[in-house]
Amino acid sequence: MSTPIDVMDAATLENLLATDGSAVAVLDVRTPAEFESVHIPGSFNLPLDLVAEHAHDVTRKLGKQIVLVCQSGTRASQAQQRLVDMQLETGSVLEGGIAAYEKSGGEVVRGTQRWAMDRQVRMTAGSLVLLGFIGSKLISPKAGYLSAAIGAGLAYSAASNSCAMASMLSKMPWNKVSTEGKTNPLAQIPNAGQLLNPKGK
């Protein structure tokens, strides 16, 4: 995980969002399914894989300080780096992600519950490594290559600050949300000058 250029702790974000007419906008870069499971009231969802494509539109429409949020901070840091690469405002990364925000007592909205993507990745990778090991003992030594492949993939994921497994898992049926009656990701984001009011006042 790359070190965020600018970070914001949960308490600071809570205080800013509690202020009417707050000058910050919360941009959640997790998958739509994760966002549906739990998110900060008033936040907007733009998955990490769409950040680069829509970065100019999002920063133009929001017209205020952006706080990038994910589950733990990793994907938000990646989103921040993509903004830097495009020479746009970097935005602050919520330190510890929504997990830290909720732990600190911050208000969240809950929906259909699903595992966070990083938890799904750990379960999938661990299960495949275990399966490869057991297969090498009970079926064929060649099954051990599965464990080696997963280990190599995780090492590459850390070195490149990317995760192909997370990308694949995001396409699984349990990580899909209904698109009925929903518009594109940018439609939910207000134009600059509109107040972000997470309390709905």
Side-chain angles (χ1 to χ4, degrees), residues 12 16 18 20 23 35 37 40 51 53 62 67 85 91 96 109 133 140 155 157 162 169 175 178 184 189-190:
T12 300
L16 287 172
D20 286 343
F35 182 80
S37 295
I40 297 171
V51 167
E53 179 182 353
L62 289 175
V67 180
D85 292 343
V109 177
F133 174 77
S140 167
S157 175
S162 63
L169 286 171
N175 284 321
S178 174
N184 67 71
I189 300 176

Side-chain angles (χ1 to χ4, degrees), residues 55-66:
H56 285 93
D57 292 326
V58 169
T59 54
R60 173 181 54 80
K61 291 184 73 174
L62 289 175
K64 56 180 72 178
Q65 180 186 1
I66 297 174

Side-chain angles (χ1 to χ4, degrees), residues 11-25 64 101 195-201:
T12 300
L13 180 58
E14 286 179 62
N15 290 334
L16 287 172
L17 292 179
T19 304
D20 286 343
S22 172
V24 300
K64 56 180 72 178
Y101 184 82
L195 294 180
L196 173 69
N197 194 332
K199 301 295 183 182
K201 297 179 182 176

Side-chain angles (χ1 to χ4, degrees), residues 153-192:
L154 292 174
Y156 176 78
S157 175
S160 64
N161 199 22
S162 63
C163 188
M165 186 176 290
S167 180
M168 289 187 291
L169 286 171
S170 70
K171 296 176 173 60
M172 294 295 104
W174 59 85
N175 284 321
K176 297 293 185 182
V177 297
S178 174
T179 57
E180 184 177 352
K182 295 184 179 179
T183 53
N184 67 71
L186 291 182
Q188 64 171 326
I189 300 176
N191 290 319

Side-chain angles (χ1 to χ4, degrees), residues 50-119:
L50 297 178
V51 167
E53 179 182 353
H54 296 294
H56 285 93
D57 292 326
V58 169
T59 54
R60 173 181 54 80
K61 291 184 73 174
L62 289 175
K64 56 180 72 178
Q65 180 186 1
I66 297 174
V67 180
L68 299 161
V69 176
C70 65
Q71 184 64 29
S72 62
T74 300
R75 282 173 284 176
S77 298
Q78 293 175 16
Q80 185 187 63
Q81 186 57 55
R82 292 180 189 186
L83 294 179
V84 171
D85 292 343
M86 298 176 72
Q87 298 182 334
L88 296 172
E89 293 293 329
T90 62
S92 301
V93 170
L94 177 60
E95 188 175 18
I98 195 168
Y101 184 82
E102 186 176 8
K103 187 176 181 179
S104 74
E107 181 185 359
V108 295
V109 177
R110 293 191 175 280
T112 303
Q113 293 303 294
R114 300 175 178 84
W115 280 12
M117 187 56 64
D118 57 348
R119 186 180 181 189

Side-chain angles (χ1 to χ4, degrees), residues 16-40:
L16 287 172
L17 292 179
T19 304
D20 286 343
S22 172
V24 300
V26 180
L27 195 64
D28 194 314
V29 298
R30 296 174 299 155
T31 65
E34 290 176 285
F35 182 80
E36 184 182 78
S37 295
V38 59
H39 61 268
I40 297 171

